[in-house]
Amino acid sequence: ISTHPLGNIEDMVYVGNITIGTPPQKFQVVFDTGSSDLWVPSISCTSQFCSSHALFRHLESSTYWPTQKTFSIEYGSGRMKGVVAHDTVRIGDLVSNDQQFGLSLEHSGFKGMPFDGILGLNYPNFSFTGGTPIFDNLMNQGAISEPVFAFYLSKSKLEGSVVMFGGVDKSYYQGALNWVPLIQAGDWRVHMDRISMEGQVIACSGGCEAIVDTGTSLIHGPRRLLNKILSFIGATPRGSKHYVSCSAVNTLPSIDFTINGINYTLPAQAYAIKDSTGDCYIFFKQIRASRTTETWILSDVFLRQYFSVFDRGNDRIGLAQAV
Amino acid sequence: CIVKIPLTRVNIMRKTRSEKNMLNDFLKKHAYRLYLTSSPGSN
């Protein structure tokens, strides 16, 4: 028998389990620092998305209570509508009583996605359901010892990744944990000094903004500047993606993201991934350019290299070399 | 006092070919971007 490794290109979403209700009903959710709401599909949902996912059966929960409020959220990857409800939500041993959350009834764009719902970990001002996000509730209810959470996204293994609440386990990173203040309390967005390759500033030359987002898989940046980087790498477009020869990946330059005076290096092996056809494509995607601000999204591609700490107590993000 | 939740890096390669093709189409358009496109109250 001859065995060959397979490239796992769509291996890009990190999900974890939570439960809602009494007795608990289990859901697989994305822990997303880019949004603030928790939602899962309702048993009343008729979308195609709901036919293949865990659905919340509100009549089976003794701690459930409904509201008259409706909500809708539009994500970059789809939109959904639903109703707002309250129930007990458990993340591991953490319990958030009377947690407001969304029960989705209609979806568009999420078809085939390997998660039941999304658990937003951004600040309350991004809440579309209008309630207190789960992390704020956990802080307010005194359920966590420190108002921080942190992500370790494993590079190669299907398992081994964790999100931790209430403190930081130092065994997941090496070297110093560097703190970066948020541009403004209320969004996990920091100032970035520049992006450079081989010592040459290639983007963000006058400084720019970086959103640190665990719910996004690829590095996103403005089209013109991404094209500059892709040209520097020598990537060629094919469909909507850009490819390089896999044999050349080891010779491609690293990309340095300088944040708060510290270089965070992304080696080519992190941003060029072999796909199922045996070619290597670049894990970058265009973002619609803002007229005023140059914005980049530092996503899972970046966070696999760097352990990240989200400190609500001090409105800052910590980054360190992941083990 | 740290609560750790294991995360699974979802292996979509195990899914059927049709699901995978559907996902590829989806990725071409969206690439799993969950970041919000609007802000609360913008509607």
Side-chain angles (χ1 to χ4, degrees):
Chain A
I1 299 171
S2 171
T3 57
H4 300 277
L6 296 174
N8 198 349
I9 62 164
E10 284 91 21
D11 183 354
M12 293 200 291
V13 175
Y14 292 86
V15 293
N17 291 328
I18 63 164
T19 67
I20 304 177
T22 312
Q25 301 177 34
K26 195 166 99 175
F27 297 91
Q28 205 166 48
V29 295
V30 176
F31 289 85
D32 176 27
T33 58
S35 63
S36 303
D37 294 295
L38 165 65
W39 64 265
V40 294
S42 163
I43 188 70
S44 308
C45 171
T46 52
S47 299
Q48 200 172 352
F49 172 88
C50 296
S51 64
S52 55
H53 289 85
L55 307 176
F56 183 71
R57 292 166 170 79
H58 57 276
L59 295 175
E60 294 175 15
S61 174
S62 61
T63 43
Y64 169 85
W65 60 277
T67 74
Q68 297 296 315
K69 275 170 66 178
T70 60
F71 74 103
S72 67
I73 308 179
E74 186 169 350
Y75 297 94
S77 37
R79 69 178 69 160
M80 38 79 54
K81 286 181 187 177
V83 293
V84 177
H86 292 248
D87 207 331
T88 303
V89 178
R90 289 181 173 81
I91 309 175
D93 293 336
L94 296 173
V95 181
S96 180
N97 295 306
D98 188 26
Q99 175 64 48
Q100 183 166 304
F101 69 107
L103 280 173
S104 61
L105 298 168
E106 288 176 42
H107 303 78
S108 60
F110 284 119
K111 200 167 66 174
M113 291 303 100
F115 50 82
D116 303 315
I118 295 172
L119 189 151
L121 289 168
N122 209 342
Y123 283 76
N125 39 315
F126 279 100
S127 172
F128 284 74
T129 56
T132 308
I134 190 159
F135 192 75
D136 289 73
N137 254 349
L138 291 172
M139 287 195 297
N140 298 341
Q141 292 172 11
I144 47 175
S145 48
E146 284 181 70
V148 300
F149 56 91
F151 280 84
Y152 170 75
L153 302 184
S154 167
K155 291 187 192 71
S156 54
K157 291 175 283 185
L158 291 177
E159 292 177 1
S161 305
V162 291
V163 55
M164 56 197 81
F165 294 91
V168 174
D169 183 339
K170 293 179 178 173
S171 67
Y172 288 99
Y173 68 89
Q174 56 195 5
L177 183 62
N178 301 304
W179 292 106
V180 189
L182 300 182
I183 289 172
Q184 193 178 327
D187 192 9
W188 297 117
R189 185 185 291 251
V190 295
H191 176 80
M192 184 152 63
D193 304 332
R194 61 189 168 275
I195 299 173
S196 46
M197 298 178 82
E198 294 182 330
Q200 183 183 329
V201 177
I202 199 145
C204 186
S205 51
C208 59
E209 294 186 0
I211 298 165
V212 185
D213 184 8
T214 57
T216 296
S217 53
L218 313 186
I219 299 262
H220 285 62
R223 177 199 297 248
R224 184 179 60 82
L225 297 166
L226 267 188
N227 284 342
K228 206 169 152 188
I229 292 176
L230 292 166
S231 157
F232 199 95
I233 293 168
T236 51
R238 194 191 309 163
S240 61
K241 295 174 183 169
H242 284 78
Y243 283 85
V244 292
S245 160
C246 288
S247 59
V249 168
N250 287 335
T251 64
L252 292 179
S254 300
I255 303 176
D256 289 322
F257 296 86
T258 307
I259 301 169
N260 213 19
I262 291 168
N263 282 350
Y264 295 91
T265 301
L266 198 63
Q269 292 80 0
Y271 68 74
I273 313 281
K274 189 183 259 189
D275 74 5
S276 54
T277 64
D279 296 330
C280 282
Y281 83 96
I282 305 297
F283 259 44
F284 288 153
K285 193 163 173 65
Q286 294 163 3
I287 195 173
R288 193 179 301 157
S290 155
R291 284 182 192 167
T292 49
T293 321
E294 181 183 333
T295 304
W296 290 77
I297 300 180
L298 299 181
S299 55
D300 296 349
V301 174
F302 181 85
L303 298 172
R304 274 194 278 275
Q305 299 295 315
Y306 296 99
F307 177 81
S308 54
V309 184
F310 296 81
D311 183 353
R312 280 290 302 273
N314 297 293
D315 301 312
R316 61 184 182 172
I317 289 175
L319 294 169
Q321 184 75 50
V323 293
Chain B
C1 299
I2 302 171
V3 173
K4 286 186 207 164
I5 309 297
L7 298 178
T8 306
R9 196 175 165 187
V10 179
N11 186 351
I12 296 157
M13 294 291 274
R14 285 182 194 145
K15 296 202 170 232
T16 63
R17 178 174 285 273
S18 63
E19 278 178 310
K20 188 171 170 296
N21 288 341
M22 190 165 70
L23 186 72
N24 275 332
D25 290 343
F26 180 85
L27 284 169
K28 278 179 193 164
K29 292 178 197 151
H30 304 292
Y32 277 108
R33 185 171 162 234
L34 293 180
Y35 194 78
L36 302 171
T37 55
S38 57
S39 54
S42 66
N43 294 334

